[in-house]
Amino acid sequence: MIRLEKRPQPSRLWTIVTPLLAVVLTMVVGGIMFALLGKPPLEAIRTIFWDPLFHPQFAAYSRPQLLVKAGPLILIAIGLSIGFKAGIWNIGAEGQYIMGAVTGAAVGLAFYPSESVLLFPLTVVAGALGGWAWAMIPAVLKTKLGTNEILVSLMLVYVAENILASASASWLRSPEGMGFPGSRNFKQWPAVHNDELIAGTGMHWGVVAAFIAVIGAYVLMARHIQGFNIRLTGEAPRAARFSGVSPARIVFLCLGISGALAGMAGLFEVTGPAGQITIDFNSGYGFTAIIVAFLGRLHPVGILLAGLLMALTYIGGELAQLMLGLPGASIQLFQGMLLFFLLATDVFTNYRIRFAKGELA
Amino acid sequence: MDPVLLVASIMVSATPILLAAIGEMVVQKAGVLNLGVEGMMITGAVVGFAAAVSTGSPVVGFLAAALASAVLSLSFGFLTQVLLSNQVATGLGLTLVGLGLSALVGAGFEGVRAPGMGKLWIPGLAEIPVIGPMFFRHDFMVYVSLLLVAAVWGFLKYTRAGLILRAVGEDHESAHALGYKVVRVRMAAIFFGGACAGLGGAYVSLVRVPQWTEGMTAGAGWIALAIVVFASWRAFGVLIGAYLFGGVTVLQLNLQAAGAKVPVELLSMSPYLITILVLVIISARGVHGAPGSLGRSFHASA
């Protein structure tokens, strides 16, 4: 029989190997799935993971897209990872992302058609505050009343989706949109447009913010006392309390950071790649970011890499849809499987496998 | 609005959440927190719909849905019970996998109508004026869900197996020391919870909406989780919670249809807002009845 023996320390080697193993497993099972769908498996895998980067015809378009898609994923996942480390499960990043976009866009549009250089920074701050405020709801309810943050933050996603619907249909609707839902297009308003900083790279302010967040999170978690407190709260809540760490403060800090980062991601998206508030401008980044956070081992550098990989599956998925007629949903399943395989292979990180006689409990 | 119709539609509206929630309650009673209810429900919705459309039989649809979701839930069970992965993360993963899987399977079924489900008139009772049309002229799944609640209640309260299940959930170390197979009991509970969530999902796609649209469970699985908390882990609390929620859903839909002077979006978000409100009230009162080992991994280290 196979027996698991707990390692005294999580294995450093396996911490790095498991995400790679999960990717390989996902490719294998995904390939089988593609074959079942009647698509050539190897070609599908190549189209998703190789062609967006190296195909002579498509790479020029899809390489910049990598940063466009990875930016919001990394930004949101960095925030989530800090909370996850402390055992605070903010699952509602999608809602905070939407509310950041709506708040930021509303503040920006209030000044239309101003061309002030201060306007864009103002909308970024408003977006961050919008996401932060939305995350404060589960934080306050958790700390004051002990309400479960998983369920509250998730319910708030559905509330935020309805607010978004109302914004795009009525109170943020473009007066020049001839009655169609959707706000003014930010791409036609230079003061607020989150344009590419260097043409042809996909690099916009959201990507810059994502890089800053990676560095910031690294410094916070590795060098700062609050980062230590966060890790301590997650690993040994009682010890944390005895050493004077206020659990409530950690909740506010973690949910606040992740809410603000998700809100900023929403604002960058709506003023940049999406261009306007529409009923479905959000593309589930808030949920995919959960996968990114875990795949990146809740480590800032890991999240950076995982975000790029996940962005690749989006772009490659679109390409595979175009070239091979692969259903769009198969990519979603692909991403879900990635998380599942990661969690499955994680057993090697924390346990040693022993082959021995004996019965499994 | 006709009160007779209102009560009847509340029962229909409450049934999917009731099914999913009673299953999840058993899972949690065994000490496992499976956050994948939404993913299992949506899988049940699509598999049930596909099976019912292909065979023309809703009964086959429900059976297929229960089986598919239960099998899917075993992947969660394997990861959390054998490979000892984190239950919160794995449950989320299950939901993401379920959403992707259902969208993939369901792509060919958009715009198709589900085969109709006959109403089961309870002999004698269905003829009673007012009461009859309210309670005794529903499709069979409404009665199945009510019977399931009673069965779960009786099982947990009066049977030895129910006692073992509760012991495993309350304190897995002691249960293990007493010689109970913790992992096996939990796997069985997870399987049952998956089957119930599948039935709930199939009820959405076969009865409540009678068609398939991507993501159609729209958070019902999460609300089922909230109802387990609301119910303080008691079977009849789950029943009350699901019917209260069904009532809110029906009322807001009726208000929308009646063209109330309230924004549609506000009405649509009201079920979620009320769920939050209920969670707040419950927590303020102090959460009672949560199994002692809920959400903790069990590893026999001997």
Side-chain angles (χ1 to χ4, degrees):
Chain A
M1 284 301 280
I2 302 165
R3 210 158 52 83
L4 298 179
E5 190 181 286
K6 194 157 179 70
R7 292 179 195 270
Q9 290 276 309
S11 157
R12 285 193 157 223
L13 176 70
W14 279 105
T15 307
I16 297 167
V17 171
T18 45
L20 302 175
L21 192 62
V23 171
V24 172
L25 278 172
T26 307
M27 283 186 186
V28 171
V29 177
I32 296 170
M33 179 179 87
F34 295 144
L36 288 175
L37 288 168
K39 310 287 177 198
L42 286 177
E43 203 182 328
I45 300 287
R46 201 200 64 214
T47 311
I48 295 169
F49 289 97
W50 185 263
D51 285 359
L53 296 174
F54 303 109
H55 192 285
Q57 198 182 335
F58 306 120
Y61 167 78
S62 45
R63 265 189 222 151
Q65 282 293 311
L66 201 62
L67 288 181
V68 171
K69 295 263 196 287
L73 287 175
I74 294 168
L75 205 51
I76 302 168
I78 287 282
L80 292 180
S81 70
I82 294 171
F84 291 172
K85 280 245 178 213
I88 296 159
W89 299 94
N90 173 16
I91 308 303
E94 183 78 7
Q96 293 140 23
Y97 173 87
I98 291 172
M99 290 311 286
V102 170
T103 323
V107 167
L109 288 168
F111 292 95
Y112 186 85
S114 157
E115 286 296 340
S116 164
V117 287
L118 295 174
L119 201 51
F120 184 64
L122 178 71
T123 59
V124 175
V125 171
L129 279 176
W132 173 84
W134 206 242
M136 280 302 107
I137 301 171
V140 169
L141 295 182
K142 185 181 173 70
T143 51
K144 302 289 174 222
L145 301 162
T147 313
N148 181 308
E149 80 278 15
I150 300 175
L151 292 171
V152 173
S153 65
L154 237 154
M155 289 296 127
L156 286 172
V157 174
Y158 297 96
V159 176
E161 280 176 352
N162 277 296
I163 291 175
L164 173 66
S166 138
S168 65
S170 56
W171 49 278
L172 281 186
R173 194 176 69 189
S174 169
E176 288 150 30
M178 296 188 292
F180 285 105
S183 72
R184 284 182 193 280
N185 197 323
F186 292 105
K187 288 180 180 167
Q188 290 151 11
W189 184 16
V192 181
H193 184 202
N194 171 28
D195 202 358
E196 268 187 333
L197 296 172
I198 307 162
T201 56
M203 175 78 85
H204 62 67
W205 281 111
V207 181
V208 176
F211 287 136
I212 295 171
V214 168
I215 297 164
Y218 183 82
V219 172
L220 172 71
M221 296 312 281
R223 296 271 176 273
H224 197 276
I225 179 72
Q226 286 300 351
F228 174 75
N229 289 342
I230 288 168
R231 279 184 286 136
L232 190 63
T233 304
E235 281 157 28
R238 276 171 60 84
R241 220 164 307 148
F242 288 137
S243 64
V245 179
S246 153
R249 192 179 297 169
I250 296 290
V251 170
F252 279 111
L253 182 70
C254 291
L255 273 161
I257 292 175
S258 62
L261 291 183
M264 259 161 67
L267 182 275
F268 287 129
E269 188 68 17
V270 87
T271 52
Q276 60 177 156
I277 290 275
T278 52
I279 194 159
D280 53 0
F281 90 92
N282 58 314
S283 30
Y285 283 148
F287 292 114
T288 313
I290 298 171
I291 307 180
V292 172
F294 281 110
L295 196 63
R297 317 265 52 184
L298 307 183
H299 187 282
V301 179
I303 287 170
L304 177 70
L305 298 172
L308 289 168
L309 176 73
M310 203 57 75
L312 187 61
T313 65
Y314 270 117
I315 300 158
E318 277 169 25
L319 200 61
Q321 233 173 307
L322 199 73
M323 302 296 293
L324 303 168
L326 213 62
S330 56
I331 297 306
Q332 206 183 340
L333 179 57
F334 213 72
Q335 295 176 342
M337 280 191 325
L338 197 54
L339 176 57
F340 237 53
F341 283 123
L342 181 80
L343 293 165
T345 50
D346 228 12
V347 69
F348 298 116
T349 312
N350 297 312
Y351 294 89
R352 242 188 279 269
I353 313 288
R354 290 257 187 258
F355 296 93
K357 285 197 175 128
E359 206 188 339
L360 202 68
Chain B
M1 166 111 201
D2 182 3
V4 173
L5 259 170
L6 189 70
V7 172
S9 53
I10 286 173
M11 290 183 79
V12 170
S13 165
T15 298
I17 310 160
L18 178 59
L19 285 164
I22 197 71
E24 177 68 13
M25 194 196 84
V26 173
V27 178
Q28 295 197 8
K29 273 283 185 191
V32 179
L33 180 66
N34 184 355
L35 292 184
V37 184
E38 178 82 1
M40 299 186 295
M41 271 186 98
I42 195 82
T43 305
V46 76
V47 172
F49 189 81
V53 166
S54 318
T55 60
S57 158
V59 178
V60 175
F62 278 108
L63 290 176
L67 187 68
S69 299
V71 169
L72 185 69
S73 77
L74 285 186
S75 66
F76 168 88
F78 180 70
L79 258 64
T80 56
Q81 302 307 308
V82 179
L83 300 180
L84 304 168
S85 67
N86 177 300
Q87 293 181 8
V88 174
T90 313
L92 288 171
L94 184 63
T95 288
L96 294 170
V97 167
L99 287 171
L101 190 68
S102 65
L104 190 62
V105 175
F109 289 95
E110 302 247 0
V112 183
R113 253 196 95 77
M117 279 255 283
K119 299 266 187 255
L120 207 68
W121 287 45
I122 307 289
L125 296 173
E127 273 76 47
I128 306 172
V130 186
I131 307 281
M134 271 186 185
F135 300 108
F136 301 111
R137 293 181 189 175
H138 289 287
D139 54 272
F140 70 93
M141 281 311 290
V142 170
Y143 307 117
V144 168
S145 70
L146 294 172
L147 287 176
L148 208 57
V149 173
V152 164
W153 173 75
F155 170 79
L156 289 173
K157 198 168 162 76
Y158 294 113
T159 67
R160 188 177 150 71
L163 183 69
I164 294 172
L165 185 133
R166 282 187 290 139
V168 163
E170 215 48 67
D171 183 349
H172 51 214
E173 299 293 347
S174 306
H176 175 67
L178 287 169
Y180 299 130
K181 304 285 183 202
V182 175
V183 171
R184 239 175 264 175
V185 170
R186 288 189 169 166
M187 281 300 241
I190 291 167
F191 188 82
F192 175 76
C196 288
L199 289 178
Y203 196 83
V204 176
S205 64
L206 289 176
V207 183
R208 265 205 68 192
V209 189
Q211 59 179 352
W212 164 255
T213 42
E214 211 179 303
M216 69 184 306
T217 48
W222 300 105
I223 288 163
L225 280 160
I227 283 173
V228 176
V229 181
F230 166 81
S232 304
W233 292 267
R234 284 182 318 226
F236 287 107
V238 168
L239 182 69
I240 293 165
Y243 274 72
L244 277 178
F245 185 84
V248 173
T249 311
V250 169
L251 278 178
Q252 66 93 2
L253 283 174
N254 277 316
L255 282 171
Q256 279 190 33
K261 289 252 177 294
V262 188
V264 174
E265 290 87 2
L266 192 63
L267 289 173
S268 309
M269 71 171 80
S270 62
Y272 308 104
L273 284 174
I274 285 172
T275 306
I276 294 176
L277 192 69
V278 164
L279 282 170
V280 166
I281 293 167
I282 298 295
S283 314
R285 208 188 59 196
V287 176
H288 300 295
S293 294
L294 184 61
R296 281 169 39 210
S297 286
F298 172 72
H299 181 222
S301 46

